Amino acid sequence: MPNALCRRRETCRLCGSDDLALAIALAPTPPANAFVDDPATQQSTYPLDVFFCNACTHVQLLDVVDPRELFENYVYVSGTSPVFVAHFRRYAEHVIESYAPTHSGPARVLDIGSNDGTLLSCFKDLGCTVLGVDPARDIAEAATARGIETVTDFFSPDVAAKLRTAQGAFDVITANNVFAHADDLDGIAAGIATLLADDGVFVFEVSYLLDVIEHCLFDTIYHEHVAYHALTPLVGFFKKHGLHLIDAERVDTHGGSLRGTVARIGSSHDVKGRVAELIALERACGLNTLETYHAFAGKIDSLRDALTGLLTELKAGGAKIAAFGAPAKATTLMYHFAIGPELIDFVVDDSTLKQGLFTPGLHIPVVPSDHMYDQNPDYVVVLAWNFADAIIAKHQKFRDNGGKFIVPIPKLKVV
């Protein structure tokens, strides 16, 4: 049924081909971060079908939810995670050490989708001049108030042109876990080409499609992520914008991410051998074939059967079950596995922006961690599984009291 907040595109967002095939069909969900304050709220769900481009091998969603619906009242902030704060600190140090500008004066850094300014704060601590662009009004205003100037807008060619006129070029442009968010990737790349200094670099991190397939990270698929990136299709994409990949490496955030570094074709930066090595690995692992994704769908079904079977058995035996973490990925997992309030009593999350609200669509209450000790559930499912080690270590007292953690991904285990 047509919906004013969701449309289906007909072409690949990287190469423009209409030769697209359904690769993975996941259960429709509401927007993954659409928390509500009233459990009686009616929420629409949208298709979550993943398509494979037979022309360039890019993997993507074709159903595009209005970005204003997804991002203008965003509730995710990077700064609540000590793991991410430490990651961004190392990230900023790496970029400045590797690509420090040759001109005198501080490096000029622009972050696309800058969120609460956590990454830019790390660059600022290194002496850089920083600017963020982010559409989430409240988060952007809060970042500006604490000294990280942030333009409240969606990054686009028009925004890039205005910034170039007002502020000139930037030595470093970053986009972390947001380069997969934009339907108009051509517009993002064009804006980067407008703003990037002649010898500047664009550095991005995204969930890596190879890790998604290898470790069954299917719950990183949700409406905010319209693109699932591998290096191979990005080569031709950047080339048409006068840019090329000069480095690529795997990093461990979000269960497995790709950090790519891009520069202008003809710049002084050499292309590192890791780019060709990863492209060869992608081909060896079958990322260029539709059959790989059909097999992946079968693995998801097997994981669903194992987890739901375990939770149903525990609940039937009288166990009280809660969950820890209300990240966007939890919406995909809970909907596709049909895990709702009949199995999960409440969800613990450390973000004060989510506490007191109810999860998207399923409307399970989100509470602070002290609620876990007050209610003393028998089992806690770690939905923020990429932080499982840190969460379990922090809540050793829960285990000492007889509680057990269930980590669903990448491999189901009870701790």
Side-chain angles (χ1 to χ4, degrees):
M1 181 180 295
N3 189 300
L5 295 177
C6 185
R7 63 179 177 82
R8 173 164 284 198
R9 62 176 297 142
E10 303 295 333
T11 58
C12 172
R13 59 178 49 82
L14 286 192
C15 75
S17 171
D18 62 1
D19 187 6
L20 301 159
L22 179 64
I24 307 162
L26 297 174
T29 75
N33 277 307
F35 293 82
V36 296
D37 57 11
D38 181 358
T41 302
Q42 297 295 310
Q43 293 184 269
S44 298
T45 62
Y46 307 111
L48 199 56
D49 296 328
V50 183
F51 287 81
F52 176 82
C53 177
N54 286 308
C56 76
T57 75
H58 182 50
V59 173
Q60 60 207 292
L61 303 184
L62 297 182
D63 295 283
V64 182
V65 178
D66 187 333
R68 291 170 297 183
E69 177 80 359
L70 297 178
F71 300 115
E72 285 189 344
N73 296 301
Y74 210 43
V75 294
Y76 171 81
V77 289
S78 305
T80 59
S81 167
V83 174
F84 261 116
V85 173
H87 170 71
F88 282 147
R89 187 176 300 112
R90 294 190 300 269
Y91 179 142
E93 290 170 352
H94 163 76
V95 171
I96 295 304
E97 288 171 3
S98 302
Y99 303 105
T102 56
H103 64 71
S104 59
R108 306 188 69 242
V109 180
L110 173 75
D111 190 21
I112 301 169
S114 52
N115 197 254
D116 63 355
T118 298
L119 175 61
L120 287 178
S121 294
C122 298
F123 278 109
K124 188 175 182 179
D125 289 344
L126 295 173
C128 303
T129 300
V130 301
L131 178 68
V133 179
D134 198 285
R137 292 186 299 268
D138 293 346
I139 294 174
E141 289 171 4
T144 297
R146 65 185 189 85
I148 305 298
E149 183 184 353
T150 305
V151 176
T152 306
D153 210 337
F154 289 95
F155 186 79
S156 67
D158 286 344
V159 169
K162 291 174 183 176
L163 288 176
R164 180 69 194 232
T165 299
Q167 305 208 26
F170 288 82
D171 303 301
V172 176
I173 300 176
T174 56
N176 299 286
N177 306 304
V178 296
F179 195 58
H181 290 58
D183 181 40
D184 183 16
L185 286 180
D186 274 314
I188 299 291
I192 290 165
T194 295
L195 283 171
L196 194 62
D198 289 344
D199 248 9
V201 292
F202 166 55
V203 187
F204 65 93
E205 281 190 3
V206 288
S207 176
Y208 190 22
L209 182 59
L210 184 55
D211 286 297
V212 172
I213 299 300
E214 286 184 340
H215 304 300
C216 207
L217 311 183
F218 78 96
D219 59 346
T220 59
I221 299 169
Y222 45 88
H223 295 108
E224 290 171 17
H225 294 165
V226 293
Y228 299 89
H229 287 300
L231 279 180
T232 304
L234 285 172
V235 172
F237 171 74
F238 282 123
K239 185 176 181 180
K240 69 181 179 180
H241 291 283
L243 306 167
H244 66 155
L245 282 154
I246 60 170
D247 196 13
E249 62 179 311
R250 301 175 77 169
V251 293
D252 60 7
T253 55
H254 291 295
S257 295
L258 171 70
R259 179 185 294 167
T261 305
V262 175
R264 293 189 184 279
I265 295 173
S267 72
S268 65
H269 301 294
D270 295 327
V271 178
K272 296 187 178 179
R274 291 189 292 196
V275 176
E277 290 169 3
L278 275 183
I279 288 173
L281 179 60
E282 291 175 1
R283 179 170 292 273
C285 293
L287 294 193
N288 60 325
T289 65
L290 181 61
E291 291 73 20
T292 295
Y293 304 98
H294 289 166
F296 178 56
K299 293 180 181 178
I300 296 170
D301 290 345
S302 295
L303 183 59
R304 175 197 61 206
D305 294 345
L307 179 59
T308 56
L310 173 61
L311 296 182
T312 301
E313 180 181 348
L314 292 173
K315 199 72 174 180
K320 179 183 287 188
I321 306 173
F324 202 112
K329 59 171 66 76
T331 302
T332 299
L333 186 149
M334 297 179 81
Y335 264 84
H336 194 65
F337 286 6
I339 297 173
E342 72 285 350
L343 291 174
I344 303 295
D345 296 331
F346 58 87
V347 178
V348 173
D349 198 278
D350 290 332
S351 171
T352 56
L353 293 176
K354 298 177 184 178
Q355 292 167 6
L357 300 178
F358 296 84
T359 62
L362 298 172
H363 299 164
I364 301 171
V366 182
V367 298
S369 58
D370 57 6
H371 195 81
M372 184 170 71
Y373 294 97
D374 293 339
Q375 296 297 314
N376 198 29
D378 301 291
Y379 294 86
V380 171
V381 182
V382 184
L383 298 175
W385 49 259
N386 49 316
F387 299 128
D389 290 345
I391 289 169
I392 293 169
K394 183 178 180 181
H395 294 283
Q396 178 63 39
K397 181 181 176 182
F398 171 72
R399 295 173 65 195
D400 292 342
N401 292 338
K404 294 182 174 65
F405 287 101
I406 298 173
V407 183
I409 293 178
K411 186 177 180 179
L412 179 60
K413 63 179 180 179
V414 179
V415 181

